[in-house]
Amino acid sequence: MKRLTALVIALVAGGLPLAHAQQAADWQAGDWQVKFGLHVVDPKSGNGSLADGALKTDVGSGLSPTITAEYRVTPTFGIELLAALPFSHDVKLNGTKALSAKQLPPTLSAQWHFPTDSAFDPFVGIGINYTRFFSVDEKGPLAGTRVTLGDSWGPALHAGFDYMFNERWSLTADVRWVSISTDVKVDGTKVGTVDIDPLVYGLAVGYRF
């Protein structure tokens, strides 16, 4: 993850002077852009506790391919939907691996693109996320129990940039903050809430049509 973060920073720093060497894409209302990428869901440090504070919870990071589709309502305003293949996460209780689970985090965002008259297209966005957890595999201290993780709804913030190689193709580096919390039940009894609230960051290749 540190290597990917360094790569994103390097692309941002390197893209600024190069952007002016390329011709700006002439975005129009009605344009679409589809992006295929690879992203990391990196939960915040410390994700709460279960069983009245007795079990400290830590959620590990997950990596998965992603796809986004954005429709430009105007040349500078778009609506974007993020989808992905399932992300897998390990969960530790008091430092011991206790379960693994998969999740899907579709996110719908409204995005503002800053006009630059160059190939460099920075943007910010705000939206709503729905996360569904499934394929829970209990291990260690939870082996032999049935754990369920509740669905989550929450706000999401987005920022990044597109670097347009030409009128059609682009490279994107971006980061999101997503509010994700899930209620945890063991054998049908709620034992607490896990607050994940991750940063989601990565790279993608885009095609405009």
Side-chain angles (χ1 to χ4, degrees), residues 54-87:
L55 299 173
K56 179 183 176 182
T57 306
D58 290 294
V59 181
S61 300
L63 175 71
S64 185
T66 57
I67 181 172
T68 61
E70 182 178 8
Y71 175 77
R72 292 289 181 106
V73 180
T74 72
T76 57
F77 176 74
I79 301 295
E80 183 202 67
L81 178 64
L82 165 70
L85 294 179
F87 290 89

Side-chain angles (χ1 to χ4, degrees), residues 95-175:
T96 300
K97 186 175 178 180
L99 63 88
S100 61
K102 295 181 179 181
Q103 55 95 355
L104 287 173
T107 304
L108 184 66
S109 299
Q111 300 199 142
W112 173 259
H113 296 258
F114 298 94
T116 63
D117 294 325
S118 75
F120 186 69
D121 181 22
F123 57 81
V124 294
I126 186 170
I128 187 167
N129 166 266
Y130 166 73
T131 298
R132 177 178 176 267
F133 296 90
F134 59 99
S135 296
V136 178
D137 183 15
E138 299 84 355
K139 308 173 187 295
L142 292 178
T145 67
R146 182 175 180 272
V147 177
T148 57
L149 304 176
D151 296 347
S152 172
W153 289 89
L157 303 177
H158 192 202
F161 72 87
D162 296 331
Y163 181 80
M164 303 299 299
F165 294 108
N166 54 44
E167 287 289 316
R168 298 296 179 189
W169 293 97
S170 63
L171 176 68
T172 300
D174 68 338
V175 61

Side-chain angles (χ1 to χ4, degrees), residues 1 4-5 8 38-44 61-66 68 82-84 87 89 103 105 107 129 131 155-160 173-180 196-203:
M1 290 183 296
L4 183 57
T5 303
V8 171
L38 193 64
H39 282 74
V40 174
V41 173
D42 189 14
K44 70 176 184 178
S61 300
L63 175 71
S64 185
T66 57
T68 61
L82 165 70
F87 290 89
H89 300 271
Q103 55 95 355
T107 304
N129 166 266
T131 298
L157 303 177
H158 192 202
D174 68 338
V175 61
R176 299 173 196 264
W177 173 83
V178 186
S179 176
I180 300 177
I196 302 171
D197 298 342
L199 292 178
V200 183
Y201 51 85
L203 301 172

